[in-house]
Amino acid sequence: MTSIEILPLIALVAMFVIATIFPINIGILGFIGAFLVGAFALGYDDKEILAAFPSSIVLTIIGVTYFFGMAKRNGTIDLLVNACIRAVGGRTVIVPWVFFFSASVLTALGTFSPAAVALISPAAMSFAARTRMSPLVMGIMTINGAHAGAFSPISVSGVLVTDIVNSSGLTIAPWTLFFASYGINLLLSVLTVVGYSVLARVRDLEYTATGTSDETGSGTPRPTTVGAPDRTPTTGGAGSSGGTQVLTRAQTATSVVPDAHPVTRVQKLTLFLIATVLVLVLVLHLPISFVAIAAGAVLAFTDLSKQNEAIAGISWSTVLLVAGMVTYISIMEEMGTIDHLAEMAITVGAPLLVAFVLCYVIGVTSAFASSTALLTAIIPLALPLLQTGALPVVGVVAALAISATVVDVSPFSTNGALVLANAQNIERPAFYRQLLLNAGIVVAVAPALCWFILVAVPAMA
């Protein structure tokens, strides 16, 4: 590689370091880097630099977060989660899996995993506190559920990964990517429950892996509904106005099954629109971007006074991140940096070893940096290797994608921080250490598990 090809790579590493240390969106750095490299190294003008701007992905992010943001505000998301809990009769062993399933459905429909965790974790962690279930296990199951559905054919991450692969001339089955992600995260959740159950028996831990219906404490039973503010006084003497602000609280016997509330006309319309979006996208194969924006526009007329809130609820930070990084990586490809790195990897002569290393690189780095940004940077490195036909395309791409996201149980990540903030009846420093220890285990085990199941086994078959 020449020095002119190495400099953009050094700049990429510097972007991740800067964005990790300082609260600056890496997409901003990506746009700056794309301009500097494109204009001064390649002699491109602004139109040529922006030729690779991911307009389709940007529009998808805008449409999906716009529509489902309004669905959250009008209570439809809470309605669906509460319905799932009532459907299983509040059985303590089953309800944690309801939260897993609910989070996966939200992300499969297009909600970002941090948004899904933010929606589900207040109710999930409250349920864990009421049933003496380990908050660590519940937090992991909620996050894993959000990751499980994160690569559906209509989700932003699924569209992003599929577009990156398809643009290289390779093909990947979107549903295979989705089921691979769902299967790995489901397996990790099962291993978590089993592992904690064994540990609880051996060490006589305070909490159980799946909770118990034997509620303790005093007070009048009070049903807790997803999305309802919890006004129970905290141990610190400060009131709490919402689920995400509750860290500890006094033991209170509560009903496991949430109250049923009448479904409003706006919620009925929202449910109809969600079903319509699914049919139009999955059956008629219309673009999720335009369909979601249209559904959001219909829903907007139900409360025009809150349109400023709806627009503000769009995940603009993610739009900026994805757009900036994809544009910069495209400029790197134009310079030949990506191809040369891939050629160097191929010369190692062991494609399985290269895939193994890439899984750990993206897994370890993602514990501290943006998973979405890493996907745009690492997957293109593997594409020339995949074009040799030595490894299964969907297996390697799925392994990289899952390795990048499954480690987001770290308290340094948004998902881990949300679970930590919603924990109840446990000291936050102690819970922080539990999350940190678990993140270390996941970083050490998950990339190898993804590589073995999705890459090594199919390659050797």
Side-chain angles (χ1 to χ4, degrees):
M1 292 179 66
T2 63
S3 58
I4 198 66
E5 293 172 340
I6 295 176
L7 285 176
L9 183 62
I10 296 175
L12 178 64
V13 175
M15 289 179 196
F16 280 104
V17 173
I18 293 172
T20 301
I21 298 175
F22 301 101
I24 184 171
N25 191 305
I26 194 174
I28 294 175
L29 304 178
F31 277 123
I32 296 173
F35 170 72
L36 293 177
V37 175
F40 297 103
L42 297 175
Y44 284 179
D45 59 24
D46 57 337
K47 292 183 179 179
E48 291 173 312
I49 293 173
L50 293 175
F53 183 85
S55 55
S56 176
I57 298 174
V58 166
L59 198 60
T60 296
I61 297 172
I62 292 173
V64 167
T65 55
Y66 175 58
F67 175 54
F68 282 97
M70 286 191 287
K72 167 58 182 175
R73 276 187 289 275
N74 66 30
T76 303
I77 300 300
D78 298 334
L79 177 73
L80 291 173
V81 175
N82 288 329
C84 290
I85 296 176
R86 288 195 300 273
V88 298
R91 297 179 182 87
T92 56
V93 176
I94 301 177
V95 171
W97 293 103
V98 171
F99 288 119
F100 175 96
F101 173 75
S102 299
S104 70
V105 169
L106 290 179
T107 51
L109 290 175
T111 306
F112 285 104
S113 60
V117 173
L119 295 174
I120 299 297
S121 58
M125 301 308 286
S126 176
F127 176 87
R130 300 200 311 271
T131 58
R132 306 302 299 163
M133 177 182 177
S134 165
L136 177 65
V137 175
M138 178 60 88
I140 292 172
M141 291 186 67
T142 302
I143 295 174
N144 286 349
H147 291 157
F151 292 97
S152 78
I154 64 173
S155 69
V156 174
S157 297
V159 172
L160 173 65
V161 171
T162 303
D163 282 357
I164 292 175
V165 175
N166 291 341
S167 64
S168 70
L170 298 172
T171 58
I172 182 173
W175 283 110
T176 304
L177 175 64
F178 168 69
F179 286 121
S181 174
Y182 210 103
I184 292 292
N185 281 282
L186 181 62
L187 174 61
L188 288 173
S189 295
V190 171
L191 292 176
T192 299
V193 172
V194 172
Y196 194 91
S197 297
V198 173
L199 190 63
R201 289 178 179 272
V202 173
R203 301 185 59 181
D204 192 26
L205 299 180
E206 180 182 2
Y207 300 101
T208 65
T210 56
T212 174
S213 58
D214 296 330
E215 301 176 37
T216 61
S218 59
T220 305
R222 178 175 57 84
T224 298
T225 303
V226 177
D230 189 342
R231 296 182 176 83
T232 304
T234 62
T235 56
S240 173
S241 61
T244 56
Q245 297 175 335
V246 179
L247 295 178
T248 59
R249 71 172 186 176
Q251 285 270 0
T252 303
T254 57
S255 171
V256 173
V257 183
D259 286 335
H261 297 285
V263 182
T264 66
R265 284 183 292 181
V266 173
Q267 291 172 340
K268 291 179 181 178
L269 173 62
T270 305
L271 292 171
F272 171 76
L273 289 173
I274 291 175
T276 302
V277 168
L278 292 177
V279 172
L280 292 178
V281 174
L282 298 180
V283 179
L284 300 181
H285 304 290
L286 296 181
I288 179 65
S289 52
F290 291 104
V291 172
I293 289 177
V298 173
L299 203 56
F301 283 97
T302 62
D303 192 353
L304 293 174
S305 64
K306 295 185 177 180
Q307 274 309 286
N308 288 336
E309 295 180 19
I311 298 299
I314 295 173
S315 186
W316 296 112
S317 61
T318 305
V319 169
L320 184 58
L321 184 153
V322 171
M325 286 305 298
V326 170
T327 303
Y328 183 73
I329 296 299
S330 299
I331 293 296
M332 287 183 64
E333 290 176 339
E334 290 288 333
M335 289 198 64
T337 303
I338 300 296
D339 289 338
H340 278 94
L341 284 173
E343 289 171 3
M344 291 171 61
I346 293 175
T347 58
V348 173
L352 280 175
L353 177 60
V354 175
F356 181 81
V357 171
L358 287 177
C359 283
Y360 267 98
V361 168
I362 197 171
V364 172
T365 310
S366 183
F368 304 94
S370 167
S371 301
T372 306
L374 283 169
L375 287 175
T376 64
I378 300 296
I379 289 181
L381 290 177
L383 296 179
L385 176 65
L386 297 177
Q387 289 171 339
T388 65
L391 297 174
V393 175
V394 68
V396 173
V397 172
L400 292 175
I402 298 169
S403 296
T405 55
V406 77
V407 297
D408 283 347
V409 293
S410 162
F412 302 120
S413 69
T414 304
N415 290 337
L418 286 168
V419 167
L420 179 63
N422 283 285
Q424 301 177 30
N425 292 346
I426 186 172
E427 292 296 328
R428 184 160 60 172
F431 190 42
Y432 171 84
R433 290 191 294 271
Q434 291 180 16
L435 286 172
L436 197 59
L437 176 61
N438 176 76
I441 296 173
V442 172
V443 169
V445 174
L449 183 66
C450 293
W451 171 82
F452 179 75
I453 295 177
L454 300 173
V455 181
V457 172
M460 293 184 295

